[in-house]
Amino acid sequence: MRLSRYFMPILKENPKEAEIVSHRLMLRAGMIRQQSQGIYSWLPLGKRVLDKVNAIIRDEQNRAGAIELSMPTLQSAELWQESGRYDAYGKEMLRIKDRQDRPMLYGPTNEEMVTDIFRSSVKSYKDLPLNLYHIQLKFRDEIRPRFGTMRSREFMMKDAYSFDLTREAAEHSYNKMFAAYLRTFDRLGLRAIPMRADTGPIGGKLSHEFIILADTGESEVFCHKDFVDFDIPGAHTDFDSVEGLQAIFDKWTSLYAATSEMHDQAAFNAVPEGDRLSARGIEVGHIFYFGTKYSEPMGAKVQGPDGKEHFVHMGSYGIGPTRLVPAIIEASHDDNGIIWPASVAPFDIVVINMKAGDQACDDTCELIYAALSKAGKDVLYDDTDDRAGTKFATADLIGVPVQIIAGPRAVANGEVEVKDRKTGARETMTIEAAINRFVA
Ligand code: ATP
Ligand code: MG
């Protein structure tokens, strides 16, 4: 991508409305724009990061056996009347009437709709287990939308829904998502700790929130500090192994970890004082097992091996991609801007032409840009005629992991500088060496 032809509206000044660093940096880097309270456009740079986050989420959902579909944002109120949640949900639900005066709503979650899809076609235990997910916009008319896309009214959610014949089978489905979440957050460069959680309006029996420790987090959390160094399940984890996944779940729930709603001070006091971590955290994921809470009122049942009909046991599993992007920034930035983990960076490499219009600089940059793009790298080429200082500041602000800098003096020697955004380390090398480093 040539910056001269891209759309990346950088802000020079710190936006006054932004209270936390991630919101400030997302606005300054031109990643998002507020359209009305708690409702955002994702501008091209932000969209790239969001897409990469979603690709990792999708990859791990698929690995764990979940199947992607797409459900609409607008739902009929009837489904929610069946489950009894239409009245219970309150003012957070955006209620709409269509031209025939039929009550509709902008979905805050999809338990009812997915249960309806399930009951319309699954009739036998032989079709279980089943886990269906989508990555879709949600709307919740939050009392206090704030911190940009961290807590917005319209936001994106990956929501998965599992269906099983028995409680035991449903617990295995729960453990699959539990392990998938550990892997997902790890690949996003985050350490998320599963904490016992309240089941809230979704209702249910077993529930964990995945929390990232951050001073700007809205939740108060208490946990054993060893969680910070626990091993993440590997890529070859067997998601069909009941014992294997149970062992992962048991390990990751063996020590104290709870949010303030579920906090038990006496149990926490039993943790040796030096091992206690009481901190603030950001909830990035939440999983529930809720048994037959929706299948019973909505009549979602299958025939079991005994020939009788059974209400299915369900769970639901949410991750917030539009909250994850700022959460990653909260965890990874410095005074100059964002520092993206390579897995979600909007571009892999930025090529900075320090003197656009200078034939040698232009030729060198074009050569590098073409070679790296051909090798499948996402390259941003700063070919604008801004001052070098402005270009450096922009590159640092947008947090691309690697900068390749071509200035007249180095280029005259057939060299460029390669800078690591995270460490700030700079290395001078030949043009060929710079290309080979990232093509190899
Ligand atoms: P919170 O306690 O932060 O309000 P919640 O418990 O209501 O969230 P869930 O219903 O558990 O949220 O939703 C699953 C995930 O969706 C959350 O873990 C979070 O990542 C994301 N999410 C929920 N509400 C919002 C929001 N208003 N803005 C952005 N992401 C959200
Ligand atoms: Mg929650």
Side-chain angles (χ1 to χ4, degrees), residues 256 377 393:
Y256 189 84
K377 299 288 169 195

Side-chain angles (χ1 to χ4, degrees), residues 140 142 149-152 155 157 283-286 318 320 323:
R140 293 182 186 173
E142 301 268 357
T149 65
M150 188 77 90
R151 178 173 298 285
S152 51
F155 60 96
M157 201 197 291
E283 179 200 319
V284 287
H286 196 166
R323 176 176 292 179

Side-chain angles (χ1 to χ4, degrees), residues 111-261:
E111 280 81 5
E112 283 80 358
M113 187 173 278
V114 79
T115 303
D116 177 61
I117 291 172
F118 179 91
R119 72 181 171 186
S120 71
S121 45
V122 182
K123 305 289 179 207
S124 163
Y125 76 96
K126 290 179 188 157
D127 296 323
L128 303 183
L130 183 65
N131 183 325
L132 299 173
Y133 77 96
H134 68 164
I135 301 177
Q136 178 60 290
L137 292 171
K138 305 283 180 285
F139 194 95
R140 293 182 186 173
D141 205 349
E142 301 268 357
I143 306 179
R144 279 192 79 191
R146 57 180 185 156
F147 302 155
T149 65
M150 188 77 90
R151 178 173 298 285
S152 51
R153 296 198 298 165
E154 188 187 58
F155 60 96
M156 197 168 270
M157 201 197 291
K158 182 289 298 177
D159 38 328
Y161 303 89
S162 65
F163 302 88
D164 285 280
L165 182 65
T166 63
R167 178 178 176 128
E168 294 69 47
E171 284 178 3
H172 178 53
S173 294
Y174 186 91
N175 290 347
K176 286 184 191 171
M177 288 292 113
F178 189 95
Y181 276 36
L182 291 173
R183 286 191 47 74
T184 302
F185 298 125
D186 184 61
R187 285 182 62 188
L188 296 171
L190 295 168
R191 171 54 50 141
I193 302 173
M195 305 207 181
R196 282 193 56 205
D198 197 5
T199 50
I202 306 271
K205 299 175 171 169
L206 176 61
S207 176
H208 287 89
E209 285 181 357
F210 287 74
I211 305 276
I212 288 162
L213 304 180
D215 294 339
T216 49
E218 292 185 281
S219 314
E220 203 184 351
V221 301
F222 306 86
C223 69
H224 196 292
K225 74 167 175 36
D226 283 2
F227 276 119
V228 175
D229 302 312
F230 266 22
D231 286 341
I232 300 295
H236 299 295
T237 300
D238 178 2
F239 282 84
D240 290 325
S241 164
V242 174
E243 303 75 39
L245 287 196
Q246 191 60 44
I248 291 169
F249 176 85
D250 290 346
K251 168 135 204 270
W252 277 88
T253 53
S254 60
L255 299 175
Y256 189 84
T259 60
S260 57
E261 297 91 49

Side-chain angles (χ1 to χ4, degrees), residues 201-394:
I202 306 271
K205 299 175 171 169
L206 176 61
S207 176
H208 287 89
E209 285 181 357
F210 287 74
I211 305 276
I212 288 162
L213 304 180
D215 294 339
T216 49
E218 292 185 281
S219 314
E220 203 184 351
V221 301
F222 306 86
C223 69
H224 196 292
K225 74 167 175 36
D226 283 2
F227 276 119
V228 175
D229 302 312
F230 266 22
D231 286 341
I232 300 295
H236 299 295
T237 300
D238 178 2
F239 282 84
D240 290 325
S241 164
V242 174
E243 303 75 39
L245 287 196
Q246 191 60 44
I248 291 169
F249 176 85
D250 290 346
K251 168 135 204 270
W252 277 88
T253 53
S254 60
L255 299 175
Y256 189 84
T259 60
S260 57
E261 297 91 49
M262 296 296 279
H263 183 51
D264 173 351
Q265 190 61 43
F268 190 52
N269 287 343
V271 175
E273 202 173 344
D275 292 339
R276 283 180 221 158
L277 199 58
S278 90
R280 302 204 64 84
I282 302 169
E283 179 200 319
V284 287
H286 196 166
I287 61 177
F288 304 84
Y289 162 68
F290 46 74
T292 58
K293 182 179 155 82
Y294 299 94
S295 57
E296 279 196 47
M298 296 186 68
K301 41 193 177 182
V302 294
Q303 194 174 48
D306 55 3
K308 295 199 187 109
E309 302 231 287
H310 302 266
F311 291 115
V312 285
H313 287 249
M314 293 175 57
S316 70
Y317 314 90
I319 292 185
T322 49
R323 176 176 292 179
L324 272 167
V325 174
I328 293 167
I329 297 174
E330 289 294 325
S332 185
H333 66 269
D334 64 14
D335 289 345
N336 297 328
I338 303 165
I339 302 174
W340 292 115
S343 60
V344 298
F347 294 96
D348 301 318
I349 298 161
V350 53
V351 175
I352 301 173
N353 187 340
M354 281 174 68
K355 202 170 180 200
D358 174 278
Q359 196 63 47
C361 284
D362 290 355
D363 290 349
T364 300
C365 289
E366 291 290 346
L367 181 80
I368 296 172
Y369 177 51
L372 295 178
S373 301
K374 192 164 161 241
K377 299 288 169 195
D378 277 335
V379 187
L380 180 66
Y381 171 25
D382 189 344
D383 59 342
T384 63
D385 45 25
D386 285 338
R387 289 183 307 112
T390 305
K391 294 189 179 196
F392 295 147
T394 298

